[in-house]
């Protein structure tokens, strides 16, 4: 394996840093669930477009265009469902409560509630709780986070601008993220496959230093602390970078020696959201509501089905080996 630096590999590293940069900008503006849903869906479509419509090192024939579009739809719905499981569960529960209330008004005399309901068929305390949670802006993802980490409503005039800026930032995450490894497909033969990693690292380090320098200069101009998080943030940052790098190595191998087309491999990478969600449920207990967990696993099944279908029908998919194009 050759050791050196290739300009195309450096470009991949730069794209990765900008993907992370816009993620940090998007989350405080629209919340993690909305941001993840937007950039996950965008990355799916962008990476598929590279594999289906890009230049020769990327492009491969589709086994089936209709099935590929169906697979993309399933992937998008799966990503959105996993990212927004809490909000979706609350909406479904609110509809269930409303339907029971309408049924009670239609068939039960006034003053009498449904059996087991308190308050005359209005959903009882459960409906009140759901309504209170639904009224909380933090539960929708579209909220403001101040510098102390507190959640609050932004000013009425600023809210549409914040949401628009957050959605635009999340879309850029998807564009940059879905294109991260595209330049690596154009490196010189001696730097292909895992040999591109040193070049990738150089690009990421250079872009990261530029972003950090810009941040420090911006804070200095506004007489505000840069807010690095101290030495306590270093181990967590290094561990996160190591885990991500291992995943990146697997993606590069899949599209190199593994001979998986970019338009299949990178959309499947978005299944990482499934893994992070499982960690949130099983390890960190961030999702405890049974309805939200049910939505999560339903969306996960849709996501996995979309990934499997894309592997069959997508660019260079296995469907080409079984009867050709459909």
């Amino acid at each position: 394996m050759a050791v050196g630096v290739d300009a195309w590999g450096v470009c991949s590293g730069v794209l990765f840093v900008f993907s992370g940069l816009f993620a940090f900008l998007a989350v405080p503006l629209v919340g993690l669930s909305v941001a993840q849903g937007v950039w996950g869906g965008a990355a799916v479509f962008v990476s598929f477009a590279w594999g289906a419509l890009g230049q020769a090192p990327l492009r491969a024939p589709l086994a089936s265009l209709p099935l590929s579009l169906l697979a993309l739809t399933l992937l998008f719905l799966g990503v959105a469902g996993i990212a927004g499981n809490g909000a979706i569960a609350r909406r479904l529960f609110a509809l269930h409560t409303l339907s029971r209330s309408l049924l009670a008004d239609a068939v039960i005399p006034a003053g009498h509630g449904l059996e087991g309901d308190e308050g005359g068929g209005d959903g009882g305390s459960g409906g009140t709780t759901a309504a209170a949670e639904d009224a909380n802006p933090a539960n929708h993802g579209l909220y403001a986070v101040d510098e102390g980490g507190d959640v609050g409503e932004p000013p009425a005039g600023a809210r549409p601008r914040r949401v628009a800026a957050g959605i635009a930032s999340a879309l850029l995450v998807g564009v940059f993220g879905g294109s991260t490894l595209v330049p690596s497909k154009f490196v010189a033969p001696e730097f292909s496959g895992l040999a591109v990693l040193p070049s990738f690292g150089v690009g990421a380090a250079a872009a990261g230093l530029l972003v950090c320098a810009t941040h420090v200069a911006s804070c200095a101009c506004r007489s505000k602390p840069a807010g690095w998080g101290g030495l306590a943030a270093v181990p967590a940052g290094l561990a996160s970078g190591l885990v991500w790098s291992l995943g990146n190595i697997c993606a590069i191998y899949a599209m190199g020696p593994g001979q998986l087309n970019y338009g299949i491999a990178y959309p499947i990478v978005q299944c990482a959201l499934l893994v992070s969600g499982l960690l949130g449920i099983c390890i960190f207990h961030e999702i405890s509501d049974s309805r939200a967990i049910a939505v999560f696993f339903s969306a996960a099944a849709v996501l996995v089905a979309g990934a499997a279908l894309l592997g069959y029908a997508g660019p260079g998919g296995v469907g080409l080996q079984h009867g050709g194009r459909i």
Side-chain angles (χ1 to χ4, degrees), residues 99-123:
S99 65
R100 295 187 67 187
S101 177
L102 293 175
L103 178 62
D105 291 341
V107 301
I108 299 178
H112 298 275
L114 289 175
E115 183 179 354
D117 282 349
E118 298 178 2
D122 61 353

Side-chain angles (χ1 to χ4, degrees), residues 13 20 33 38 44 49 56 93 98 101 115 117 164 178 195 208 238 246 254 308 314 317:
S33 62
V38 171
V44 165
F93 182 74
L98 177 61
S101 177
E115 183 179 354
D117 282 349
L238 291 176
L246 292 174

